[in-house]
């Protein structure tokens, strides 16, 4: 819209609608295939994103579209309707925001302490509080992440497994599910390798409960932060008719099934519920 109508009101509805052919026109086979993909009872020809005045409802738009296309054996469906009003923060959004602020303050404090110690020439850490703060320093962690030094336990032959060949003949592998298998191989090999080292260090003794608890603590906090960010922020990072798909396929599943992911049981449920 290049010009905003003064009678439009403060808000506008952002609507995503689809126009499709009726079953009698395209036949049950082709219509059924398209309907299975789109979730509606007719084959979708095209989708239109529209902004209309807030005084109009989605049913008004539906009636107008049906009147326009009725002579062409077409029918319209409203997929989503979203107004441009600013919604109040939910308790979940407030809680996740507070959590991210606390984490940000922790990282900032650790980085500030690390910078001060580097400038003052102090290298020894005094007490557990300093160690905990330095563990969150961007400087210390950045050096470790960007370091190209290899440790004594480095398995150099694994580095090439994750590479992608530029030769066109390799595209069948790089674009196939076998690419995922390489990461299964890496994970299984490293777990077995570390297990054997621990068995050697502990004279054949292995605490399986501590092993799983340690793995859970290493993986879950980052996963929980990602789920929290997706659940409360993705719906506010964009707007418009087609943003309906982001909310439907990313935000809504996280809102409903986040606990399954934190328990690592989401693979035992339907794909549309993941």
């Amino acid at each position: 819209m290049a010009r905003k109508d003064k009678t439009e009101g403060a808000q506008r509805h952002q609507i995503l609608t689809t126009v499709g052919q009726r079953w009698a026109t395209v036949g049950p086979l082709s219509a059924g295939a398209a309907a299975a993909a789109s979730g509606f009872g007719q084959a979708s020809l095209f989708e239109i994103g529209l902004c209309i005045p807030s005084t109009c409802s989605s049913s008004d738009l539906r009636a107008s579209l049906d009147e326009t296309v009725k002579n062409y054996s077409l029918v319209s469906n409203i997929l989503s309707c979203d107004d441009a009003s600013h919604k109040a923060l939910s308790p979940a959004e407030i809680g996740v925001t507070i959590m991210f602020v606390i984490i940000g303050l922790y990282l900032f404090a650790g980085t500030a302490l690390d910078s001060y110690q580097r400038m003052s020439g102090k290298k020894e850490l005094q007490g557990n509080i300093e160690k905990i703060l330095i563990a969150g320093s961007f400087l210390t962690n950045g050096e470790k992440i960007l370091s190209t030094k290899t440790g004594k336990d480095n398995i150099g032959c694994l580095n090439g497994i994750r590479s992608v060949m530029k030769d066109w003949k390799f595209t069948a592998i790089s674009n196939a599910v076998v690419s995922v298998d390489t990461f299964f191989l890496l994970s299984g090999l490293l777990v077995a390798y570390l297990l054997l080292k621990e068995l050697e260090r502990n004279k054949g003794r292995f605490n399986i409960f501590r092993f799983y608890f340690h793995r859970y603590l290493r993986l879950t906090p980052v996963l929980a932060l990602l789920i929290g960010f997706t659940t409360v922020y993705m719906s506010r990072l964009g707007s418009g008719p087609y943003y309906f798909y982001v909310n439907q396929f990313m935000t809504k599943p996280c809102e409903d099934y986040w606990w399954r992911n934190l328990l690592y049981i989401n693979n035992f449920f339907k794909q549309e519920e993941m």
Side-chain angles (χ1 to χ4, degrees):
M1 265 189 180
R3 182 176 60 87
K4 184 175 181 181
D5 193 342
K6 293 183 179 180
T7 62
E8 178 181 323
Q11 309 296 340
R12 288 179 296 173
H13 289 301
Q14 298 174 332
I15 293 180
L16 178 61
T17 183
T18 178
V19 176
Q21 290 179 305
R22 301 180 187 275
W23 282 76
T25 305
V26 295
L29 293 180
S30 56
S38 62
F40 297 96
Q42 69 283 323
S44 177
L45 293 181
F46 55 89
E47 296 172 346
I48 310 170
L50 299 172
C51 290
I52 63 175
S54 59
T55 52
C56 301
S57 66
S58 57
S59 58
D60 294 333
L61 177 63
R62 170 74 180 273
S64 175
L65 287 173
D66 283 344
E67 183 67 23
T68 303
V69 301
K70 68 178 182 179
N71 295 327
Y72 302 95
S73 297
L74 299 175
V75 63
S76 63
N77 270 304
I78 303 297
L79 298 183
S80 69
C81 179
D82 179 36
D83 60 45
S85 61
H86 295 285
K87 301 175 183 177
L89 292 176
S90 66
E93 290 176 316
I94 295 175
V96 172
T97 300
I98 293 175
M99 179 180 64
F100 274 109
V101 169
I102 294 175
I103 294 174
L105 292 175
Y106 162 68
L107 298 177
F108 175 79
T111 304
L113 177 61
D114 193 8
S115 301
Y116 170 76
Q117 291 186 337
R118 289 169 183 250
M119 291 186 293
S120 62
K122 184 181 178 181
K123 296 183 179 180
E124 295 294 330
L125 298 178
Q126 304 295 329
N128 293 328
I129 295 180
E130 286 191 3
K131 293 180 181 179
I132 292 174
L133 289 175
I134 294 296
S137 170
F138 284 113
L139 297 176
T140 299
N141 288 300
E143 289 177 349
K144 293 179 180 179
I145 293 174
L146 299 177
S147 175
T148 57
K149 296 180 180 179
T150 56
K152 61 179 181 179
D153 295 327
N154 175 59
I155 309 177
C157 62
L158 295 181
N159 294 332
I161 293 181
R162 294 178 293 178
S163 65
V164 178
M165 302 295 293
K166 295 182 179 180
D167 195 315
W168 67 269
K169 295 187 293 293
F170 197 76
T171 55
I173 297 178
S174 62
N175 291 289
V177 292
V178 71
S179 301
V180 180
D181 295 343
T182 60
F183 288 90
F184 288 153
L185 169 65
L186 289 173
S187 299
L189 190 150
L190 292 176
V191 168
Y193 177 73
L194 295 175
L195 173 61
L196 292 174
K197 290 189 62 176
E198 185 169 347
L199 290 173
E200 182 181 7
R201 183 170 57 252
N202 296 325
K203 299 180 180 180
R205 290 178 296 179
F206 174 66
N207 190 327
I208 189 171
F209 296 103
R210 187 175 66 179
F211 168 79
Y212 276 108
F213 183 69
H214 179 255
R215 296 295 296 176
Y216 185 85
L217 287 183
R218 288 194 63 181
L219 298 174
T220 308
V222 177
L223 176 62
L225 289 175
L226 177 62
I227 293 175
F229 181 89
T230 303
T231 302
V232 304
Y233 292 134
M234 286 299 294
S235 61
R236 293 183 177 271
L237 292 180
S239 62
Y242 278 90
Y243 211 71
F244 152 78
Y245 289 112
V246 174
N247 293 328
Q248 181 182 23
F249 296 112
M250 294 185 66
T251 304
K252 195 64 171 66
C254 280
E255 290 178 353
D256 296 337
Y257 311 115
W258 58 269
W259 58 274
R260 295 178 182 174
N261 287 270
L262 297 185
L263 294 177
Y264 299 98
I265 60 174
N266 50 303
N267 281 358
F268 297 100
F269 297 90
K270 297 178 181 179
Q271 183 176 359
E272 56 268 21
E273 296 180 359
M274 289 185 180

